[in-house]
Amino acid sequence: MNWIKKISILFILFTVFIACNTKNKEDHSVHKAKKSLYYTCSMDPQVKEDKPGKCPICHMELTPMKNDDSAVNEIALSAQQIKLGNITTQTIEETQSSIEQSYTGVLTINQEKIKTISARAMGRIEKLYFKTIGDYINKNEPVYQLYSEDIAIAKQDYFTAYKQLSMPGDFGKNALSMLNAAKQKLLFFGLTNKQIESIKTTNQVSPYTIFYSTYSGTISEIIATEGSYIMEGSGIIKLADLNSLWLETQVNVSYSKSISIGQNAKVTFVDFPEKTINARISFINPEINPDTRLLLIRMEVPNQNLFLKPGMQTIAKVTQPNKKGLFIPTDAVIREEKASYIWVEKSQGLFESLMVETGMETNGMVEIKSEIESTKKVVITGAYSINSEYKFRKGADPMEGMDM
């Protein structure tokens, strides 16, 4: 009887041991299953929790997700996800073709064609003959009248010397020297030969002098005002030659590498789309604008018959013949603040992000200046779908932690 009891006790103990061991295994498998899941928010994918609940940021219900064991910059997608995301790949190779780039800009006055009419002596502006910006001044037209004591003294010296020419002896000889010296001074002050000759026949020397334009142009700025006193050399009016204008535009630094001084461009105008003019790149600013991070490009545009006006909006098309390079659709490139990258198919259903340097853009294509293996299949559609899925699963940017 005791023997039977012992056997029964051993059997019960064995059964309990087996049951406990099985429970531990089940608990362990459940723990492993739990670890294979995490909970995240569709609006804030950086949130990761090990149990269901609400997002601490937007308070939406967290979504269960399977842990992705792929590398940091990789993501595995199912065939259904690839189809729904319209993800297609293609091997790319260098192509050679003419690339046309378009730049928008504005016509401005050619600063190299601006002339300033300045005062040749100190005095007071008695009269301005032109008072409106945009007026056209012809060469030899009167511009302003100046009251100047310095010029009046020089006129008097010339008049006196002329009257003394008829005197005998040394008086006449000295008068000729004084006359020539006074004439040179009046010429220095800007008087014409005709104005100087008229002094000989005047009854009284006038302190007022009219000054004439020495060139033609359109008034771009009026500096002086009637009644104001000016110093010798002070500007009075600025004249612009509008037969040549500047077209100024700003381009991305990476695009400017393909542009050179002297390169030709075809310019069209928003106001006159049917009109096309050939222009030439004359200046590339060596300094980048610190605010826009863009580079100023300037072109010279001929303006026959003054048909074009400063302020007109333009489109300049610059063509590069026989440009060789790798080009992919612009939507295939993910542009972040510090880097640009593409997605390539590493193996069936496994995609890897690859940082690249981009170049010029044209006709919906962007140049890839980084070297890419010819065997790589580049994602040309659906790149943003892969990117969104990556951020949703891993809660981070594909380039996070990479050297830029």
Side-chain angles (χ1 to χ4, degrees), residues 254-358:
S254 59
Y255 303 163
S256 66
K257 298 174 184 177
S258 60
I259 296 175
S260 58
I261 293 176
Q263 193 170 356
N264 293 323
K266 291 188 179 297
V267 181
T268 57
F269 306 89
V270 175
D271 299 315
F272 306 100
E274 73 285 352
K275 188 174 182 64
T276 302
I277 291 179
N278 293 323
R280 182 180 64 86
I281 297 175
S282 59
F283 177 74
I284 300 174
N285 197 338
E287 183 180 2
I288 301 171
N289 187 314
D291 297 323
T292 62
R293 306 303 300 165
L294 297 175
L295 200 62
L296 174 71
I297 303 294
R298 183 182 299 145
M299 304 177 191
E300 284 189 15
V301 180
N303 186 19
Q304 294 180 351
N305 303 320
L306 304 182
F307 176 78
L308 304 175
K309 309 298 179 186
M312 279 186 174
Q313 292 185 325
T314 64
I315 299 174
K317 295 181 179 180
V318 181
T319 302
Q320 281 191 285
N322 302 322
K323 173 67 178 179
K324 191 174 183 180
L326 292 173
F327 290 88
I328 64 173
T330 53
D331 289 342
V333 181
I334 308 296
R335 304 173 193 269
E336 301 288 353
E337 184 179 354
K338 296 182 180 178
S340 298
Y341 56 94
I342 61 175
W343 287 96
V344 297
E345 190 175 30
K346 194 172 183 180
S347 59
Q348 183 65 38
L350 183 63
F351 297 90
E352 174 188 24
S353 61
L354 185 66
M355 188 167 60
V356 293
E357 179 187 357
T358 59

Side-chain angles (χ1 to χ4, degrees), residues 91 319 328 332 344 358 361 363 365 404:
T91 55
T319 302
I328 64 173
V344 297
T358 59
E361 292 185 33
N363 300 325
M365 305 292 283
M404 302 299 180

Side-chain angles (χ1 to χ4, degrees), residues 224-273:
T225 58
E226 288 185 350
S228 62
Y229 283 86
I230 56 173
M231 301 297 292
E232 178 184 346
S234 298
I236 297 172
I237 285 178
K238 287 188 177 182
L239 297 181
D241 181 1
L242 300 183
N243 289 294
S244 172
L245 298 177
W246 279 350
L247 190 166
E248 292 187 337
T249 182
Q250 297 190 68
V251 303
N252 190 291
V253 179
S254 59
Y255 303 163
S256 66
K257 298 174 184 177
S258 60
I259 296 175
S260 58
I261 293 176
Q263 193 170 356
N264 293 323
K266 291 188 179 297
V267 181
T268 57
F269 306 89
V270 175
D271 299 315
F272 306 100

Side-chain angles (χ1 to χ4, degrees), residues 29 75 101 110 122 129 165 179 197 218 262 272 320 354 384:
S29 64
I75 186 171
Q101 293 174 275
N110 186 336
M122 182 175 65
Y129 290 89
L165 282 177
L179 184 72
E197 286 297 318
T218 301
F272 306 100
Q320 281 191 285
L354 185 66
Y384 280 90

